[in-house]
Amino acid sequence: MTIGLVFNAIDLFPYRGTFEPPTLPSSVSAGTSSSPVPRAPSAPLNPPDVIVEVLDDEYVTSSSGGYRRFLVCWKDRASTDDTWLTEEEFRRVDPELLDNYLRVTSSESSSFQPGGNDGDHTSTFRTYVKRKYRK
C-alpha cells in the first residue's frame, strides 16, 4: 500500500484524540543528534514578470467612479495570457513603461481645437432610460 500524493481537501478532518509524546530511553538524549540535519533544496527563483507591450487601454466607469486599465502582453508567454491590469497594478510591475506609455498617448493631439470641433452648433446630450413594462 502506498500513500498517494493527491488528496481531496474535503476528506481532511481535525484530530480529536490526545497525543502523548513517546518516552525516550535513558541512553538517548533529547538534545541535538550527531547526524547533521539535511537542508531542504532551494526552490528555483521564478523570473519576474516582464511586460513586452501595451496592446490596448480603456477607461472603465461604474456607479462608484471609474478607473483606467491596460491590456498588456507578457514576455515569453502566449497571447492567451495577455492580461488587463489596473494602473496601480501596472505601476507595480513596470512604472517606467507605464510613464512612457502615458506620456506618448497623452501627447497625441487631436485634429480638433478645444471647443471648436462643433463650430457654432452646440449639441445637447440626452440620456435615455429603458422604461419598465406596464401590464
Side-chain angles (χ1 to χ4, degrees), residues 91-103:
R91 190 162 302 283
R92 272 188 264 131
V93 175
D94 194 340
E96 186 177 336
L97 179 61
L98 175 62
D99 291 339
N100 288 340
Y101 180 80
L102 292 174
R103 183 176 33 78

Side-chain angles (χ1 to χ4, degrees), residues 118 122-128:
D118 293 329
T122 57
S123 62
T124 305
F125 291 101
R126 296 181 187 198
T127 304
Y128 295 94

Side-chain angles (χ1 to χ4, degrees), residues 51-78:
I51 298 172
V52 175
E53 71 177 304
V54 180
L55 303 172
D56 193 12
D57 71 279
E58 65 185 12
Y59 193 80
V60 179
T61 58
S62 66
S63 60
S64 61
Y67 61 93
R68 192 169 183 183
R69 68 181 189 166
F70 305 87
L71 182 62
V72 297
C73 176
W74 300 99
K75 181 179 181 183
D76 299 329
R77 291 198 194 167

Side-chain angles (χ1 to χ4, degrees), residues 18-84:
T18 59
F19 176 74
E20 300 268 340
T23 56
L24 298 174
S26 60
S27 62
V28 177
S29 68
T32 60
S33 65
S34 60
S35 62
V37 176
R39 295 183 62 110
S42 61
L45 297 175
N46 291 335
D49 291 329
V50 177
I51 298 172
V52 175
E53 71 177 304
V54 180
L55 303 172
D56 193 12
D57 71 279
E58 65 185 12
Y59 193 80
V60 179
T61 58
S62 66
S63 60
S64 61
Y67 61 93
R68 192 169 183 183
R69 68 181 189 166
F70 305 87
L71 182 62
V72 297
C73 176
W74 300 99
K75 181 179 181 183
D76 299 329
R77 291 198 194 167
S79 63
T80 55
D81 289 335
D82 294 348
T83 310
W84 285 101

